[in-house]
Amino acid sequence: MYIRWVVRRHKNAEIANTNFYDAYLVESYRDERGQPRQRTIAYLGNIRQIGGEFPTIERELFLLRADRILDSLPDLTEQDRQDARAALRRKVPPLNRDEVIRGFTANLSWYRRWWEQNGNPLSDEEVLSIVRSTRGDIGPI
């Protein structure tokens, strides 16, 4: 099994500088005459490439969706799943620590601004309490 990537260019490629990558899980086999053939096992999703890069949040969402699809295929061996995941991550790298921190910080900043603009600002202690509650060691505020 392997991943087949189908690349489509944006219809206004000169303006958008965007490609769409569709990922398919494909199996090789030989037909009744012994000829090599391929069959599509599953469509694993698509991701945009903008200016030569896959956007950060889209990378993570693409990989999460593809993992769920792979997990839903009962006839795949665990080794096939691992190989498919590795092939996907060679093309679309998972987020690294710094990218996660930047995303978390940007989201937290957006929420704080929203709370302030809507007349319900949170103190630093309340924000810290929310962060701590994600560990499950304290209840909700």
Side-chain angles (χ1 to χ4, degrees), residues 42-68:
Y43 173 71
L44 300 176
N46 69 2
I47 184 168
R48 292 182 307 160
Q49 183 185 56
I50 303 170
E53 294 184 12
F54 298 114
T56 306
I57 192 66
E58 290 184 34
R59 289 185 358 235
E60 189 63 20
L61 291 173
F62 168 79
L63 293 171
L64 286 169
R65 284 190 313 259
D67 283 345
R68 283 194 171 183

Side-chain angles (χ1 to χ4, degrees), residues 24-79:
Y24 295 87
L25 182 63
V26 176
E27 174 183 58
S28 296
Y29 69 100
R30 291 195 177 267
D31 66 13
E32 60 280 349
R33 295 186 320 243
Q35 297 296 312
R37 299 280 182 239
Q38 297 86 36
R39 75 175 67 126
T40 300
I41 302 299
Y43 173 71
L44 300 176
N46 69 2
I47 184 168
R48 292 182 307 160
Q49 183 185 56
I50 303 170
E53 294 184 12
F54 298 114
T56 306
I57 192 66
E58 290 184 34
R59 289 185 358 235
E60 189 63 20
L61 291 173
F62 168 79
L63 293 171
L64 286 169
R65 284 190 313 259
D67 283 345
R68 283 194 171 183
I69 293 167
L70 289 168
D71 287 341
S72 75
L73 301 172
D75 295 335
L76 284 186
T77 67
E78 190 54 38
Q79 187 62 53

Side-chain angles (χ1 to χ4, degrees), residues 2-138:
Y2 63 96
I3 303 297
R4 174 177 290 150
W5 292 96
V6 176
V7 182
R8 299 174 286 121
R9 293 198 42 86
H10 192 280
K11 60 185 169 186
N12 292 323
E14 302 80 34
I15 297 169
N17 194 19
T18 300
N19 292 322
F20 300 92
Y21 283 71
D22 296 307
Y24 295 87
L25 182 63
V26 176
E27 174 183 58
S28 296
Y29 69 100
R30 291 195 177 267
D31 66 13
E32 60 280 349
R33 295 186 320 243
Q35 297 296 312
R37 299 280 182 239
Q38 297 86 36
R39 75 175 67 126
T40 300
I41 302 299
Y43 173 71
L44 300 176
N46 69 2
I47 184 168
R48 292 182 307 160
Q49 183 185 56
I50 303 170
E53 294 184 12
F54 298 114
T56 306
I57 192 66
E58 290 184 34
R59 289 185 358 235
E60 189 63 20
L61 291 173
F62 168 79
L63 293 171
L64 286 169
R65 284 190 313 259
D67 283 345
R68 283 194 171 183
I69 293 167
L70 289 168
D71 287 341
S72 75
L73 301 172
D75 295 335
L76 284 186
T77 67
E78 190 54 38
Q79 187 62 53
D80 287 338
R81 277 188 188 81
Q82 289 176 11
D83 292 347
R85 285 185 173 107
L88 290 168
R89 283 159 176 75
R90 280 192 295 276
K91 182 69 145 182
V92 180
L95 300 181
N96 63 41
R97 185 177 195 279
D98 290 340
E99 290 170 324
V100 171
I101 289 172
R102 278 196 305 274
F104 178 76
T105 303
N107 280 318
L108 190 56
S109 295
W110 182 88
Y111 281 110
R112 286 196 85 165
R113 280 192 310 275
W114 183 89
W115 283 316
E116 289 168 359
Q117 292 169 355
N118 288 281
N120 193 11
L122 294 179
S123 68
D124 289 347
E125 292 77 25
E126 288 172 306
V127 172
L128 188 55
S129 174
I130 291 169
V131 171
R132 284 188 179 133
S133 73
T134 63
R135 285 190 279 163
D137 57 352
I138 63 171

